[in-house]
Amino acid sequence: MSAHAAPTKRLTLGDLAAKKQAGEPIVMVTAYDYPGAQISEAAGVDMVLVGDSGAMTVLGYDSTVPITIDEMLMLTRAVRRGLDRPLLVGDLPFGSYEASDEIALATAQRFVKEAGVDLVKIERGGTTVDRARALVNAGIPVVGHVGLTPQTATALGGYRAQGRTAEAALSVIDDALALQAAGVSLLVVEAVPSEVTAALMPLLEIPVIGIGAGADADGQVLVFHDLLGIYAGGAAKFVKRYADLRTAAVDAIAAYADEVREGVYPGPEHGYRMPEGEAQRLQELLDAR
């Protein structure tokens, strides 16, 4: 099997737990549409997150806050159609789960029933722990998210690393432990010092996915548009760009525009021809009018 050929067996939460036990890193990326899902599938990733980061990377909002449930469901359904093997995680958007267990459950059920997600993701500790417990008790697998939580970034002082002091780090760890106790299946830890992740790992039995949280986590996640160099916005310190597809795309479209303006494209090889004699018959029919 080639390096990019993905097995066809659908992954399960048990498979992720086995990877953690074996020390085999878990690979997660975000995706927001059918082509992105197909690319992620072909690359052999383990999990795909339809993140509310799509608000910025795909829909052009200036933060994750404005994206609606219906917009997230539309993106998530498209990704579902492009996936086979990886687990699919749907991000519950800001304002769709915080107010009560009943609202959280109604939103999560839509993501399961209408978009076919395997897990839903919610942010923060605090009252979110209660929401997580309610979802788990209703049979919906949950991914927790601690550290930098973009939906509440303003309250955290902006998009910057969390847990830099011992007291702040303890708060992140307490949130993580509370979410584990509530029954979440997985935890995303974002933008915290590596020392915080290292201190947290021995305390958790569930898989931990890091993003800007160092190498001690059980796996890593990056935003599709960041790692491929598609998104024009500034990238966080933890982002590694593995390609520069935006430049390649701009160059390709500019070359196309030049050829159209110069009359080079389309050439004869890009068109269709009528069978021999049909053009003459067409002219005769037109002349007969």
Side-chain angles (χ1 to χ4, degrees):
M1 185 171 62
S2 70
H4 298 296
T8 55
K9 175 182 175 291
R10 186 78 165 268
L11 287 176
T12 67
L13 289 172
D15 293 323
L16 297 188
K19 284 177 178 288
K20 178 181 176 68
Q21 285 296 112
E24 181 183 344
I26 299 166
V27 180
M28 179 193 280
V29 296
T30 68
Y32 313 99
D33 56 18
Y34 181 71
Q38 288 187 307
I39 290 168
S40 301
E41 171 87 33
V45 305
D46 302 311
M47 304 184 72
V48 172
L49 165 65
V50 185
D52 57 6
S53 48
M56 303 162 74
T57 59
V58 175
L59 299 183
Y61 294 119
D62 60 3
S63 75
T64 65
V65 171
I67 197 167
T68 66
I69 295 173
D70 287 338
E71 287 171 328
M72 282 297 303
L73 284 170
M74 180 270 293
L75 298 178
T76 308
R77 285 193 295 266
V79 172
R80 175 75 280 168
R81 290 190 286 268
L83 289 184
D84 183 19
R85 175 180 177 267
L87 285 162
L88 176 62
V89 182
D91 229 346
L92 302 192
F94 179 76
S96 71
Y97 61 90
E98 298 91 336
S100 71
D101 291 347
E102 291 75 18
I103 290 173
L105 183 57
T107 302
Q109 286 173 333
R110 290 193 66 188
F111 275 75
V112 174
K113 293 179 66 173
E114 298 177 31
V117 301
D118 299 301
L119 306 96
V120 299
K121 186 172 79 65
I122 55 181
E123 291 188 2
R124 299 182 304 112
T127 55
T128 296
V129 175
D130 297 327
R131 307 291 93 83
R133 184 178 295 107
L135 297 180
V136 170
N137 288 341
I140 299 175
V142 176
V143 177
H145 185 158
V146 299
L148 173 59
T149 48
Q151 292 178 4
T152 52
T154 300
L156 297 174
Y159 290 88
R160 59 186 183 185
Q162 302 297 304
R164 287 185 175 274
T165 67
E167 292 79 10
L170 190 59
S171 178
V172 171
I173 291 171
D174 285 344
D175 284 344
L177 292 173
L179 286 164
Q180 176 174 257
V184 302
S185 300
L186 204 75
L187 189 71
V188 171
V189 181
E190 180 170 357
V192 302
S194 301
E195 297 92 337
V196 178
T197 306
L200 178 62
M201 292 303 295
L203 305 176
L204 293 178
E205 298 177 358
I206 58 176
V208 175
I209 306 297
I211 176 168
D216 286 297
D218 297 304
Q220 300 292 327
V221 59
L222 279 178
V223 170
F224 188 91
H225 292 61
D226 284 341
L227 75 92
L228 291 178
I230 299 173
Y231 185 50
K237 178 182 180 181
F238 54 77
V239 171
K240 179 176 180 179
R241 295 200 187 277
Y242 288 83
D244 185 8
L245 298 193
R246 186 175 189 277
T247 296
V250 170
D251 289 347
I253 294 173
Y256 157 71
D258 289 343
E259 289 196 357
V260 170
R261 291 172 180 139
E262 294 165 3
V264 174
Y265 178 83
E269 69 274 23
H270 303 116
Y272 304 95
R273 300 301 300 267
M274 299 178 78
E276 187 174 350
E278 291 301 315
Q280 181 178 343
R281 289 189 61 244
L282 173 61
Q283 189 60 53
E284 291 170 354
L285 291 172
L286 290 172
D287 290 344
R289 289 186 175 182

